[in-house]
Amino acid sequence: MQVEGNWCVGGMEGECREMRAEWVLKLMMKSGKTLLLLLCLKLLCCAVIAAPQTCPANNVDNCGDSDGWEGEFFPGIPKIKYEGPSTKNPLSFKWYNAEEEILGKKMKDWLRFSVAFWHTFRGTGADPFGAPTKYWPWEDGTNSLNMAKRRMRANFEFISKLGVYFWCFHDRDIAPDGKTLEESNANLDEVVALAKELQTQAKKRVLWGTAQLFVHPRYMHGAATSSELEVYAYAAAQVKKAMEVTHYLGGENYVFWGGREGYQSLLNTDMERELNHLARFLEAAVAYKKKIGFNGTLLIEPKPQEPTKHQYDWDAATSANFLRKYGLTGEFKLNIECNHATLSGHSCHHELETARINGLLGNIDANTGDPQVGWDTDQFLVDIQEATLIMLSVVRNGGLAPGGFNFDAKLRRESIDVEDLFIAHIVGMDTLARGLRNAAKLIENGSLAELVRKRYQSFDTEIGAQIEAGKADFEMLEKKVKEWGEPKVASAKQELAEMILQSVL
Ligand code: XLS
Ligand code: NI
Ligand code: NI
């Protein structure tokens, strides 16, 4: 997810501005500033709260105080079906056929798609230069509890029509922040109770839940790595609750994305101390998970920069090293986000393979960046070649379960029709489905595996076996060199490998 505007996440501009203004106000009162300052701030606060209402004038009867909604949220949008590659119907799958078996498993079991609540139901299209562009008919411009519940109803109609089994959320996406932790928790409980009821009816599950530890100004220095002890404690309390509700909703995983766990300058940062705190925080999460009997996988989501200059979970290798150093490898896996991979200077495929060979591949945040843009643009993945490489890793991993593919992706600012929400997910699902079909073709055809096997065949020998078993010392190898003379070196055949890949796209 990209942090939109100066400090708010999509869909929360009004609420966040209000929260920031109030928080600043409280701080000023604490430090006993003058009445004049208070008055000025109050004025500023009122000016910024006056966010535009999103309930359209011709729909006012549906907005109001109730969490209910007349009729369907997505009228005219049918249940999305598989129609095959030749169809011209945008509201149908061309490649994703849930029940079809590929490489011995149903497509729906390889792919385990999930809708990200924060993008699909809280994304407004706002960016640092402009106001929201999306005015969904069910929104009334508030962040009330009733609005939260109405959105939850829309979520279940959406995932049901789309034919997706899972959804993912942050605590604060689904329920409004309160004035105190107790109030926030009570809000969350109320919305989660409805979510539980709706997901039981719709037979859906949570892929993962997480705590939003980066929007509120208290988290400006980080959460588990904040320089402030009280913030560390607040984050712990928030994660405790988020784990409880994820467990209650049958969540199969729980994610830690280090929203602001990182630094802006080493001049004022004790990096070693912050990393130790992060490890202690994660250990406490493991202990709490066990205490409440939550059996889901805990996932770390690497990201290199944004919002801090240097995020501690930079990439898969950095995160694996962190987990190893603190003895946490058995307790965590990684959630690889493709857009984060490219921001760290790697391909998504590289990150997936790094996670996989370390036994850490747990989940994929399925999105993509723009090759010409240097931030987390969170676009839906539409590149078939990239999807094929991704699926090769997933197949090698034997699938992702209990993880899956979470669409941590949003509509472009300029896409403003309700049907665009469906089209975006359909094309994202079709792209990965097509990637799976291509990966299966590559695997069944075997030429690529054969090319790789041949490339390393010099190690399929007695001396090779000794080297790989750690039984070849330098003296023995030196003797062999004297016997063999100058090594014979074969071609890497990269272009042939690319030709084989292209033949299945
Ligand atoms: C932000 C992350 C975020 C996590 C969940 O860039 O992708 O959305 O997936 O906190
Ligand atoms: Ni992201
Ligand atoms: Ni993500």
Side-chain angles (χ1 to χ4, degrees):
M1 170 167 57
Q2 195 199 337
V3 175
E4 298 184 338
N6 291 332
W7 58 286
C8 260
V9 186
M12 306 188 63
E13 287 70 24
E15 183 218 9
C16 292
R17 273 191 227 108
E18 188 175 347
M19 191 163 65
R20 178 172 56 177
E22 246 176 56
W23 196 71
V24 171
L25 203 64
K26 259 196 342 220
L27 276 185
M28 298 295 282
M29 284 172 77
K30 248 189 182 171
S31 56
K33 296 282 164 169
T34 64
L35 186 65
L36 187 64
L37 260 173
L38 275 176
L39 270 172
C40 292
L41 265 173
K42 194 71 194 157
L43 276 177
L44 179 75
C45 160
C46 296
V48 291
I49 297 171
Q53 295 288 300
T54 53
C55 188
N58 61 2
N59 212 358
V60 85
D61 291 344
N62 283 326
C63 297
D65 290 337
S66 129
D67 68 5
W69 181 255
E70 290 293 313
E72 296 183 26
F73 290 92
F74 305 97
I77 305 240
K79 176 133 183 39
I80 309 300
K81 293 201 199 72
Y82 172 70
E83 291 185 6
S86 59
T87 183
K88 295 275 181 290
N89 176 9
L91 294 175
S92 72
F93 295 117
K94 287 92 195 149
W95 305 93
Y96 178 61
N97 189 10
E99 300 295 328
E100 188 181 326
E101 274 206 10
I102 307 264
L103 296 173
K105 223 191 273 200
K106 289 187 175 172
M107 288 186 106
K108 66 175 187 193
D109 296 327
W110 280 119
L111 293 164
R112 294 169 56 87
F113 290 127
S114 166
V115 168
F117 194 93
W118 54 99
H119 284 307
T120 303
F121 291 97
R122 305 308 308 272
T124 63
D127 73 8
F129 306 96
T133 56
K134 298 178 213 318
Y135 298 96
W136 306 134
W138 55 86
E139 290 287 335
D140 65 8
T142 71
N143 193 22
S144 67
L145 255 178
N146 279 332
M147 191 54 245
K149 290 188 202 167
R150 203 181 308 143
R151 249 180 236 127
M152 191 54 76
R153 295 184 191 281
N155 174 48
F156 281 100
E157 187 182 318
F158 183 76
I159 55 179
S160 297
K161 286 190 163 170
L162 191 60
V164 164
Y165 185 57
F166 296 104
W167 63 294
C168 291
F169 66 94
H170 296 84
D171 48 2
R172 301 294 179 257
D173 308 329
I174 60 171
D177 217 348
K179 296 238 180 310
T180 59
L181 182 71
E182 290 88 331
E183 205 180 297
S184 300
N185 287 351
N187 290 347
L188 192 55
D189 283 338
E190 213 169 312
V191 179
V192 163
L194 174 69
K196 176 90 169 177
E197 188 188 316
L198 295 172
Q199 73 166 25
T200 309
Q201 275 164 23
K203 299 196 173 59
K204 304 292 174 195
R205 286 286 281 274
V206 164
L207 183 65
W208 51 261
T210 188
Q212 188 200 70
L213 304 175
F214 42 90
V215 169
H216 195 284
R218 79 171 72 86
Y219 294 122
M220 70 171 115
H221 307 298
T225 64
S226 172
S227 42
E228 300 292 336
L229 178 145
E230 289 189 17
V231 175
Y232 180 101
Y234 206 104
Q238 208 182 312
V239 168
K240 173 180 176 288
K241 182 69 182 175
M243 287 177 89
E244 287 163 12
V245 302
T246 302
H247 181 37
Y248 177 70
L249 290 170
E252 302 202 7
N253 306 269
Y254 183 90
V255 162
F256 292 86
W257 169 57
R260 290 183 191 275
E261 313 296 23
Y263 64 81
Q264 302 290 16
S265 167
L266 281 180
L267 292 174
N268 65 355
T269 301
D270 186 338
M271 178 156 71
E272 189 177 17
R273 202 165 185 186
E274 291 199 1
L275 284 165
N276 288 342
H277 290 177
L278 181 57
R280 297 285 97 91
F281 192 92
L282 295 175
E283 279 166 17
V286 171
Y288 194 64
K289 163 191 158 160
K290 292 182 178 158
K291 181 158 190 196
I292 61 175
F294 173 53
N295 293 322
T297 308
L298 301 181
L299 298 163
I300 304 267
E301 184 178 323
K303 184 174 186 180
Q305 323 86 0
E306 198 201 59
T308 72
K309 183 182 90 170
H310 185 111
Q311 299 274 124
Y312 289 136
D313 304 323
W314 186 271
D315 61 1
T318 311
S319 304
N321 184 53
F322 170 87
L323 291 173
R324 220 163 255 145
K325 175 177 176 189
Y326 292 100
L328 289 165
T329 24
E331 307 289 356
F332 286 83
K333 287 196 170 184
L334 300 180
N335 175 26
I336 301 296
E337 178 164 322
C338 292
N339 202 161
H340 298 178
T342 50
L343 289 177
S344 67
H346 303 304
S347 64
C348 190
H349 193 209
H350 169 91
E351 286 294 85
L352 294 174
E353 285 296 281
T354 304
R356 186 183 70 77
I357 64 181
N358 282 287
L360 293 173
L361 180 53
N363 190 83
I364 296 179
D365 265 8
N367 64 10
T368 195
D370 185 299
Q372 284 140 316
V373 178
W375 62 86
D376 201 8
T377 57
D378 286 337
Q379 290 169 235
F380 282 85
L381 179 68
V382 291
D383 183 321
I384 296 153
Q385 177 164 321
E386 193 178 349
T388 304
L389 298 175
I390 289 171
M391 292 314 300
L392 267 182
S393 283
V394 170
V395 171
R396 284 188 193 131
N397 201 55
L400 292 172
F405 287 89
N406 168 48
F407 285 111
D408 196 349
K410 62 185 175 192
L411 292 180
R412 297 305 83 196
R413 173 172 167 78
E414 303 80 7
S415 300
I416 55 169
D417 294 342
V418 168
E419 71 159 18
D420 293 335
L421 288 172
F422 280 89
I423 292 171
H425 284 84
I426 290 170
V427 77
M429 291 163 78
D430 266 341
T431 304
L432 285 161
R434 207 164 163 183
L436 173 61
R437 290 176 187 276
N438 293 342
K441 279 194 238 162
L442 273 178
I443 289 164
E444 278 159 359
N445 150 307
S447 325
L448 204 54
E450 181 55 12
L451 185 150
V452 175
R453 190 197 63 75
K454 272 203 187 135
R455 192 163 180 225
Y456 295 89
Q457 69 187 356
S458 65
F459 282 87
D460 299 333
T461 54
E462 203 191 318
I463 306 289
Q466 279 179 37
I467 292 175
E468 291 184 347
K471 290 188 178 136
D473 60 38
F474 280 4
E475 279 105 339
M476 184 273 271
L477 292 173
E478 185 193 42
K479 235 170 86 195
K480 285 288 164 195
V481 170
K482 288 179 181 162
E483 187 186 317
W484 293 334
E486 187 57 30
K488 291 165 279 307
V489 178
S491 166
K493 295 281 176 215
Q494 183 177 326
E495 297 76 8
L496 178 60
E498 285 161 349
M499 192 183 277
I500 296 170
L501 172 64
Q502 211 183 63
S503 73
V504 303
L505 296 183

